[in-house]
Amino acid sequence: MGKKVEKAGDAPVRLANVDCNQSLKDKDEYKSLLEALQLKMLQIQQAYYAQGRRAIIVMEGIDCAGKGGMIRRMVQSLDVRGVHVWPIGAPAGEERQHHYLYRFWQRLPEAGSIAIFDRSWYGRVLVERIEGFCTEQAWQRAYREINEFERLLFDDGVRIIKLLPAITRDEQVKRFEERIQNPHKRWKMTAEDVRNWHRWDDYQQAMQQMLDKTSTEVAPWQVIPANRKWYARIQALKIVTDALARDVDISMPSLDSALMQEAMELLHRELNGGGDS
């Protein structure tokens, strides 16, 4: 499956050193791996539901890095009642009157569920920093606040996985062009995307500092080479399933024997015409 994915935690990952062009052998390999990983993801969801566990998946990255495609494959086989995808944009209304973490507290997963953030609280040290939506003092302070926030969640039993797909500037330009040319993808283009197109270096610097300051033992960053979409989607699913399954029994839960007996007896009566009319 290619070279080892870059990990943050033990030593800072340098985005400039990531080989973004790693790929799979062919479509058959992609489909085979995808099917197996999606099945494992479903098993994990069922285990988390049965055991009352909680998990958060954070997805950050430059525009056109493929976050949406990864998320779609991640949730494709799941029961929608046990997973919630939160697309995060600019704060609105009451959210603006509170600390920037306020709106994320409202979206934390309940027992037995998984929350996926398509962009997240890291907006404070990325877009808000670069666009000047907050002061330098505010975004500098945010690194400590975010680490404390994630530590608090971890200590409360929430498993946190943070993914950063990395693409080259040439690949981003190619994907922007595709969005412009494809009528079914034009809706993704915004004025902010066009502005950010010219701020590549600023975002690379901000993301590198984010990795350096917020990749912790309890919530490390995982950098995924993402020029090749099939490879990136498989790596994202592999990282997530490995992390969520670690030290967790994901075998299919057995039904209580007394409940099974009662259900079988009720079913037998129904099949034999003994049920209430």
Side-chain angles (χ1 to χ4, degrees):
M1 289 179 62
K3 299 178 183 177
K4 186 178 180 181
V5 174
E6 292 273 7
K7 294 184 179 181
D10 296 335
V13 171
R14 311 311 300 173
L15 288 174
N17 296 336
V18 175
D19 177 7
C20 297
N21 289 310
Q22 297 183 51
S23 62
L24 299 176
K25 183 173 61 177
D26 53 33
K27 189 173 184 178
D28 287 341
E29 181 185 19
Y30 169 67
K31 292 174 68 174
S32 175
L33 291 169
L34 181 65
E35 182 179 356
L37 288 166
Q38 286 180 331
L39 177 59
K40 185 176 180 181
M41 192 74 189
L42 177 59
Q43 288 179 274
I44 289 169
Q45 184 192 37
Q46 293 173 344
Y48 271 59
Y49 175 79
Q51 299 170 31
R53 294 178 179 269
R54 293 168 290 158
I56 290 173
I57 300 168
V58 172
M59 189 77 70
E60 287 289 351
I62 200 80
D63 293 327
C64 293
K67 299 181 293 296
M70 293 180 191
I71 292 171
R72 282 194 295 276
R73 275 70 184 180
M74 212 171 285
V75 303
Q76 194 168 5
S77 64
L78 303 185
D79 188 320
V80 296
R81 294 171 294 180
V83 61
H84 200 121
V85 178
W86 297 106
I88 301 299
E94 183 187 3
E95 294 174 343
R96 295 181 178 179
Q97 309 303 317
H98 296 275
H99 189 278
Y100 70 96
L101 289 175
Y102 166 81
R103 58 181 174 148
F104 300 107
W105 277 105
Q106 315 306 309
R107 295 168 168 84
L108 296 180
E110 300 176 351
S113 67
I114 299 169
I116 302 176
F117 288 89
D118 184 356
R119 300 195 186 276
S120 66
W121 42 91
Y122 284 98
R124 174 56 53 115
V125 298
L126 294 175
V127 65
E128 292 180 37
R129 163 186 173 172
I130 292 171
E131 294 289 339
F133 295 150
C134 65
T135 65
E136 181 175 352
Q137 182 183 29
W139 63 258
Q140 289 280 13
R141 185 179 68 240
Y143 298 118
R144 172 181 55 81
E145 294 171 338
I146 288 171
N147 287 340
E148 291 173 351
F149 174 59
E150 292 177 351
R151 180 76 213 199
L152 183 152
L153 294 175
F154 175 83
D155 288 345
D156 196 44
V158 181
R159 193 155 291 189
I160 304 169
I161 301 101
K162 302 186 302 194
L163 307 179
L164 182 72
I167 60 175
T168 60
R169 191 168 194 170
D170 287 346
E171 181 64 21
Q172 186 191 44
V173 171
K174 187 188 303 181
R175 293 183 186 183
F176 268 132
E177 183 179 9
E178 182 185 4
R179 284 187 180 183
I180 293 170
Q181 299 296 333
N182 188 334
H184 300 293
K185 292 188 176 183
R186 287 176 188 162
W187 65 271
K188 297 182 179 182
M189 289 293 294
T190 67
E192 182 180 319
D193 291 337
V194 176
R195 289 198 309 272
N196 292 343
W197 196 347
H198 301 288
R199 306 202 68 173
W200 172 272
D201 292 337
D202 293 334
Y203 271 97
Q204 294 300 301
Q205 180 183 9
M207 288 192 297
Q208 186 61 63
Q209 194 165 4
M210 176 189 75
L211 293 175
D212 294 342
K213 291 182 175 291
T214 64
S215 192
T216 63
E217 182 181 358
V218 302
W221 278 103
Q222 306 283 354
V223 179
I224 301 174
N227 271 12
R228 304 293 177 260
K229 292 181 180 180
W230 292 348
Y231 178 87
R233 292 165 185 170
I234 294 302
Q235 286 299 327
L237 266 166
K238 187 176 188 305
I239 289 168
V240 167
T241 54
D242 285 350
L244 292 181
R246 191 173 301 123
D247 301 321
V248 175
D249 180 7
I250 64 169
S251 57
M252 299 299 290
S254 58
L255 194 62
D256 177 79
S257 58
L259 179 60
M260 174 71 82
Q261 181 63 31
E262 182 180 353
M264 292 302 295
E265 290 176 357
L266 181 61
L267 179 62
H268 181 74
R269 289 199 299 273
E270 290 289 337
L271 293 174
N272 287 280
D276 296 335
S277 59

